[in-house]
Amino acid sequence: MASVVEISFLTESDRARWEVLARGKDTHFAVERADGDYERTWRRLLDDDRIHGVGARLDGAIVGVAHYLCHASVWYAGKCYLADLFVDPAVRRRGVATAMIDWVARDAEERGFPGLYWNTLADAPARALYDKVGKFNDGLIRYSYRR
């Protein structure tokens, strides 16, 4: 029988498992961070009312995390940016990522931010999922400016 994915906001007791998954995401994307970056982000996820973190659980164990923030929009009622989505490789293709995207979209809409969007790498394996669940790919290319 398939396990049911349960999703809820992260709490203090989720800290250790959250960091394992956050570090896994960073390793996957070849991002290096100092230990203090994880502590600062964890505190923001729990204490900042603009930034949110959720955990997806299978059989009670956290197997995925998502981080998102809601913000004003010039032309729309509001938008929600899904900043991070990572699922433990051992449980991929079991509906965890789709369940988290659906959960975040519903939470954002309930907060008054109906537009959900995210970025990914052009060659990311997750694009197969994103092409299925994304209702609209507007073809935009993301640029970053750094001085």
Side-chain angles (χ1 to χ4, degrees):
M1 178 177 210
S3 298
V4 175
V5 179
E6 297 175 354
I7 299 170
S8 60
F9 289 107
L10 294 169
T11 65
E12 285 290 348
S13 64
D14 299 325
R15 174 68 167 87
R17 183 62 180 152
W18 168 83
E19 187 166 329
V20 168
L21 292 167
R23 287 182 183 272
K25 173 195 66 73
D26 287 343
T27 298
H28 179 81
F29 288 105
V31 173
E32 293 185 28
R33 296 189 203 281
D35 290 341
D37 293 336
Y38 293 99
E39 181 59 28
R40 182 178 54 254
T41 297
W42 178 251
R43 294 283 26 115
R44 290 176 74 193
L45 289 168
L46 268 55
D47 300 337
D48 189 323
D49 62 356
R50 299 166 297 171
I51 298 170
H52 312 285
V54 296
R57 292 167 175 78
L58 287 175
D59 300 323
I62 295 180
V63 297
V65 292
H67 309 141
Y68 58 103
L69 61 96
C70 299
H71 61 87
S73 175
V74 173
W75 296 105
Y76 303 100
K79 296 239 180 192
C80 181
Y81 174 58
L82 179 60
D84 297 308
L85 176 68
F86 187 75
V87 175
D88 185 321
V91 298
R92 288 186 183 157
R93 300 192 186 284
R94 290 178 55 185
V96 175
T98 301
M100 283 195 292
I101 291 169
D102 288 343
W103 197 98
V104 169
R106 189 171 36 259
D107 183 57
E109 188 166 7
E110 288 172 2
R111 294 172 186 271
F113 299 90
L116 177 63
Y117 70 101
W118 61 90
N119 301 309
T120 194
L121 299 172
D123 63 351
R127 283 203 54 204
L129 168 68
Y130 299 156
D131 287 344
K132 288 179 188 174
V133 300
K135 304 290 188 228
F136 181 69
N137 179 343
D138 53 18
L140 294 175
I141 299 170
R142 177 182 172 253
Y143 291 91
S144 295
Y145 174 81
R146 295 190 183 160
R147 292 174 58 146

